């Protein structure tokens, strides 16, 4: 048998959403034969035609390659995917249920649907983020002693999910039956990543412990940023200084309007629930959530201060609505949370985001969406950067300066080149930094044209620091 045939496994992926589709397409690209199932007929039809609606670099390309090579196909319903499978991945949603606990309805209904159809000796793998003990519960529900249940959490970030899958920092596989864990780990052997083989409960715990650590790291940095403002220090220099310590690292140290998205908030709440159920008061984690709410409120305070003390009736232009750049995901977006706080104080909001074309349910009704970033400036008493889209750095700030009522920007992501903005007359208020006052108009006019050209466009993100994006010269 060729090496490829020995490596190749027949895999079913149940749930063709964000995690399932990435998992299926990437496993197919590694050489496995993958059948992805979903309950939505139109989604299955579109995916079968190679149409990928999720905004994720390289995902459509891998789906097209998988379809063309015959290694990837899509079917309606879990029961159509499993009869021939050696490994069945569960990639169904586990949303936040009552009181913050993970809602396992989707996992349970798939288990009920497939339990009698699974081939003898196959392995069921839970990829969804589920409370510790779910693998054991799944095994109980399956009641199939010949089928092992393995936990293999995903660590994919939106916007770099394919890259994260194919170049993982680690693979974590947990099961009491070591041979089943090894079979799952072998699916990824071509990736050459460090692999942690453990029991199911520990693997389930890794996912929560990792996401909650990241959330705590961000709350810590946001708290440090607040202290920097009070003590006159610069958070960018502070985080650079601490980040060189290899035990801390430079990643995930950007202060912002608070952390959000479909994972960190859901998982911190769920981990708190898990802790409470185990009669453990996880104070540190609770404080991280409180700090996050405080950070959102602090951003509103900054805007209120910027417009002179009252938001009532003030037109505020918002730049960025998604929970981070590079995605169209608005779930639990801190930008929307800040918008809701501003609206509650009577602000009149207009927002632009490169990936959002219309209002969605859950958005405050007082927010008007525009498809033109220039329009957010018309008559605005303040502009507020809420998502770190690199293109905001190269807007025509000279033109925006002509349109606003008051030249002040609250930059909650420390994204903009304050030197450039101040030369066209803007005062810039960041997070964890001293405010940068505008330059006198005469000096501003002289410097305006060359300033716009001085953006360092290669530094796409605020943390890719260069002298061009430093506030201090
Ligand atoms: C997160 C984790 O990073 C992934 O490892 C994990 O697999 C995923 O959740 C999941 O559980 O599925 P994601 O939700 O895509 O990934 O987003 P992140 O890139 O982690 O960003 C989360 C939030 O933190 C965003 O609001 C982002 O703007 C904010 N953030 C991130 C900062 O404010 N500063 C930073 O330095 C980094």
């Amino acid at each position: 048998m060729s090496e490829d045939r020995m490596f190749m496994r027949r895999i079913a992926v149940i749930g063709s959403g964000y995690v399932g589709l990435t998992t299926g397409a990437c496993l197919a690209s590694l050489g496995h034969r993958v059948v992805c199932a979903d309950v939505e007929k139109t989604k299955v039809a579109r995916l079968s035609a190679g149409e990928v609606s999720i905004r994720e670099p390289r995902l459509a390309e891998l789906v097209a390659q998988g379809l063309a090579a015959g290694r990837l196909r899509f079917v309606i319903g879990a029961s159509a995917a499993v009869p021939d499978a050696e490994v069945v991945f569960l990639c169904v949603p586990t949303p936040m249920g009552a009181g913050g606990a993970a809602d396992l309805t989707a996992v349970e209904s798939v288990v009920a649907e497939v339990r009698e159809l699974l081939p003898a000796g196959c392995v069921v793998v839970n990829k969804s983020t589920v409370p510790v003990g779910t693998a054991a519960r799944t095994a109980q529900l399956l009641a199939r002693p010949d089928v092992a249940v393995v936990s293999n959490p995903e660590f994919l970030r939106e916007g770099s999910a394919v890259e994260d899958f194919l170049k993982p920092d680690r693979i974590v596989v947990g099961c009491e039956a070591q041979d089943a864990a090894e079979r799952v780990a072998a699916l990824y052997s071509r990736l050459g990543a460090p692999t942690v083989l453990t029991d199911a409960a520990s693997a389930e715990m890794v996912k929560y412990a990792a996401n909650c650590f990241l959330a705590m790291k961000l709350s810590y940095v946001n708290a440090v940023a607040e202290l920097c403002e009070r003590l006159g220090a610069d958070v960018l220099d502070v985080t650079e200084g601490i980040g060189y310590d290899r035990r801390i690292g430079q990643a995930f140290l950007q202060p912002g309007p608070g952390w959000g998205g479909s994972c960190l908030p859901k998982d911190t709440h769920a981990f708190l629930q898990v802790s409470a159920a185990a009669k453990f008061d996880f104070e540190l984690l609770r404080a991280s959530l409180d700090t996050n709410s405080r950070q959102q409120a602090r951003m509103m305070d900054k805007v209120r201060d910027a417009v002179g003390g009252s938001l009532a009736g003030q037109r505020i232009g918002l730049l960025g609505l998604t929970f981070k750049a590079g995605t169209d995901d608005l779930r639990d977006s801190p930008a929307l949370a800040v918008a809701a706080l501003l609206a509650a104080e009577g602000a009149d909001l207009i927002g632009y985001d490169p990936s959002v074309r219309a209002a969605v349910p859950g958005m405050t009704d007082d927010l008007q969406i525009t498809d033109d970033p220039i329009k957010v400036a018309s008559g605005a008493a303040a502009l507020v950067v809420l998502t770190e889209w690199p293109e905001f750095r190269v807007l025509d700030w000279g033109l925006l300066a002509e349109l606003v009522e008051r030249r002040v920007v609250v930059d909650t992501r420390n994204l903009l080149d304050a030197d450039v903005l101040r030369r066209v007359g803007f005062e810039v208020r960041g997070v964890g930094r001293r405010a940068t006052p505008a330059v006198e108009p005469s000096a501003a006019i002289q410097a305006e044209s060359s300033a716009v050209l001085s953006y360092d466009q290669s530094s796409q993100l605020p943390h890719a620091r260069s002298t061009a994006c430093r506030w201090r010269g």
Side-chain angles (χ1 to χ4, degrees):
M1 219 193 305
S2 75
E3 198 202 316
D4 274 0
R5 285 187 70 86
M6 277 170 60
F7 172 76
M8 187 278 285
R9 290 282 166 264
R10 292 185 307 278
I11 295 173
V13 177
I14 312 303
S16 302
Y18 189 79
V19 173
L21 186 59
T22 307
T23 302
C26 289
L27 286 171
S29 81
L30 292 178
H32 300 295
R33 284 194 177 272
V34 183
V35 184
C36 287
D38 204 279
V39 284
E40 278 181 47
K41 288 182 189 161
T42 45
K43 187 195 273 185
V44 170
R46 286 206 180 119
L47 287 170
S48 301
E51 289 171 32
V52 176
S53 59
I54 298 170
R55 184 187 166 119
E56 193 61 54
R58 288 195 61 207
L59 186 56
E61 177 193 325
L62 289 194
V63 168
Q65 283 169 4
L67 288 167
R71 283 198 298 267
L72 180 63
R73 59 193 182 89
F74 297 91
V75 296
I76 300 162
S79 45
V82 299
D84 189 31
E86 294 169 274
V87 183
V88 177
F89 279 89
L90 303 183
C91 299
V92 291
T94 52
M96 188 148 66
D103 176 353
L104 298 179
T105 313
V107 174
E108 286 165 4
S109 85
V110 169
V111 168
E113 182 181 345
V114 301
R115 60 177 292 274
E116 285 175 9
L117 301 170
L118 295 171
C122 85
V123 178
V124 169
V125 184
N126 210 336
K127 246 204 175 333
S128 312
T129 306
V130 288
V132 177
T134 303
R137 170 101 186 104
T138 307
Q140 239 175 17
L141 291 171
L142 269 177
R144 285 279 307 262
D146 59 329
V147 173
V149 179
V150 171
S151 166
N152 169 219
E154 55 84 14
F155 302 103
L156 313 177
R157 284 166 302 171
E158 289 192 27
S160 56
V162 169
E163 170 96 1
D164 288 344
F165 192 101
L166 296 176
K167 292 184 192 152
D169 288 341
R170 77 305 207 181
I171 306 282
V172 176
V173 185
C175 184
E176 277 58 27
Q178 194 167 345
D179 63 319
E182 281 169 2
R183 275 162 67 196
V184 173
L187 301 174
Y188 303 97
S189 58
R190 291 189 167 165
L191 300 177
T195 301
V196 178
L197 289 184
T198 179
D199 56 88
S202 303
E204 288 165 343
M205 183 94 171
V206 167
K207 176 60 194 261
Y208 282 112
N211 272 4
C212 292
F213 185 85
L214 293 172
M216 282 187 342
K217 191 173 183 187
L218 292 176
S219 277
Y220 177 77
V221 95
N222 284 333
V224 168
E226 180 169 356
L227 203 51
C228 284
E229 285 169 23
R230 289 172 187 243
L231 301 180
D234 183 322
V235 74
L236 289 202
D237 292 341
V238 173
T239 50
E240 187 179 4
I242 65 173
Y244 280 119
D245 185 327
R246 274 171 295 178
R247 294 168 302 172
I248 296 173
Q250 298 282 356
F252 245 69
L253 283 183
Q254 298 300 312
W259 40 269
S262 63
C263 303
L264 299 194
K266 164 175 83 74
D267 292 352
T268 39
H269 281 107
F271 210 32
L272 268 185
Q273 280 287 320
V274 167
S275 308
K279 306 221 176 319
F280 173 63
D281 182 9
F282 205 150
E283 284 176 272
L284 192 56
L285 195 53
R286 228 168 349 98
S288 305
L289 277 160
D290 293 345
T291 301
N292 204 39
S293 306
R294 175 180 169 79
Q295 188 70 359
Q296 294 166 358
R298 235 164 62 68
M299 298 304 108
M300 182 205 36
D301 293 343
K302 278 177 183 290
V303 182
R304 193 198 300 107
D305 282 354
V307 300
S310 169
L311 286 159
Q314 301 271 17
R315 181 134 177 110
I316 308 292
L318 307 181
L319 289 167
L321 299 169
T322 50
F323 82 99
K324 65 175 181 180
T327 175
D328 54 6
D329 200 337
L330 291 161
R331 283 175 293 175
D332 250 316
S333 170
L336 296 188
V338 173
L341 292 172
L342 293 168
E345 291 215 0
D348 166 24
L349 304 175
I350 177 162
Y352 167 79
D353 187 288
S355 72
V356 179
R357 284 292 158 264
V360 297
M363 243 181 216
T364 167
D365 293 341
D366 302 307
L367 171 60
Q368 180 197 339
I369 305 290
T370 171
D371 59 1
D372 183 353
I374 300 301
K375 288 196 186 139
V376 301
S378 283
L383 297 177
V384 187
V385 175
L386 288 166
T387 311
E388 74 284 19
W389 289 101
E391 47 263 62
F392 294 158
R393 286 170 55 81
V394 289
L395 288 176
D396 185 345
W397 285 100
L399 176 58
L400 293 176
E402 295 306 315
L403 297 172
V404 292
E405 184 191 288
R406 186 192 306 236
R407 292 179 182 174
V408 59
V409 181
V410 176
D411 182 2
T412 73
R413 297 281 186 168
N414 294 330
L415 172 78
L416 304 173
D417 183 337
D419 282 342
V420 171
L421 266 78
R422 65 200 288 267
R423 285 187 206 126
V424 295
F426 276 105
E427 180 194 350
V428 182
R429 301 182 179 206
V431 176
R433 327 192 69 191
R434 279 186 291 278
T436 308
V439 168
E440 288 303 309
S442 56
I445 292 162
Q446 208 182 11
E448 183 178 342
S449 54
S450 61
V452 173
L453 293 174
S454 79
Y455 278 111
D456 176 2
Q457 294 190 38
S458 66
S459 49
Q460 294 268 296
L461 293 169
H463 55 265
R465 299 184 66 191
S466 69
T467 46
C469 71
R470 294 289 291 265
W471 284 27
R472 297 202 297 250

